[in-house]
Amino acid sequence: MIEYKYDTQLLIDGENLDEDAVHDYIISHFKGDCLIAVGDEETIKIHFHTNEPWDVLRYCATVGEIYDIVVEDMDRQARGLRG
């Protein structure tokens, strides 16, 4: 059984981005694990396992422009199914 079902990945573009602030916000406001928030002042890559990918996306869209969004159902993958 997978505790956090969705592998959520995206890029955020903007100005004066702070990867530590984004990381800390996600950790304190969303349940999940395996968070990676890396980048610089213009682009941050997010990777996060959660059951609330839409909420994470909504937050990230307030930080900057989001793109290259991938949300994969890891439970389906574990069962050998696509998606």
Side-chain angles (χ1 to χ4, degrees):
M1 176 92 180
I2 296 174
E3 184 175 4
Y4 298 108
K5 184 175 178 174
Y6 298 104
D7 178 6
T8 307
Q9 302 172 50
L10 65 136
L11 295 172
I12 307 170
D13 267 358
E15 296 179 9
N16 302 314
L17 298 177
D18 182 341
E19 67 187 79
D20 293 329
V22 171
H23 176 279
D24 293 348
Y25 186 93
I26 290 172
I27 287 294
S28 66
H29 288 84
F30 306 110
K31 293 180 182 178
D33 63 11
C34 299
L35 175 61
I36 299 171
V38 295
D40 56 29
E41 293 181 350
E42 296 176 354
T43 305
I44 297 175
K45 165 116 178 135
I46 301 294
H47 175 268
F48 189 49
H49 297 169
T50 183
N51 292 328
E52 308 163 325
W54 40 89
D55 294 333
V56 174
L57 295 174
R58 189 175 301 117
Y59 161 68
C60 290
T62 68
V63 174
E65 180 181 1
I66 61 174
Y67 65 103
D68 284 352
I69 300 163
V70 176
V71 177
E72 296 179 322
D73 184 331
M74 295 186 299
D75 182 55
R76 286 182 57 86
Q77 289 176 339
R79 291 182 286 136
L81 303 172
R82 292 180 173 231

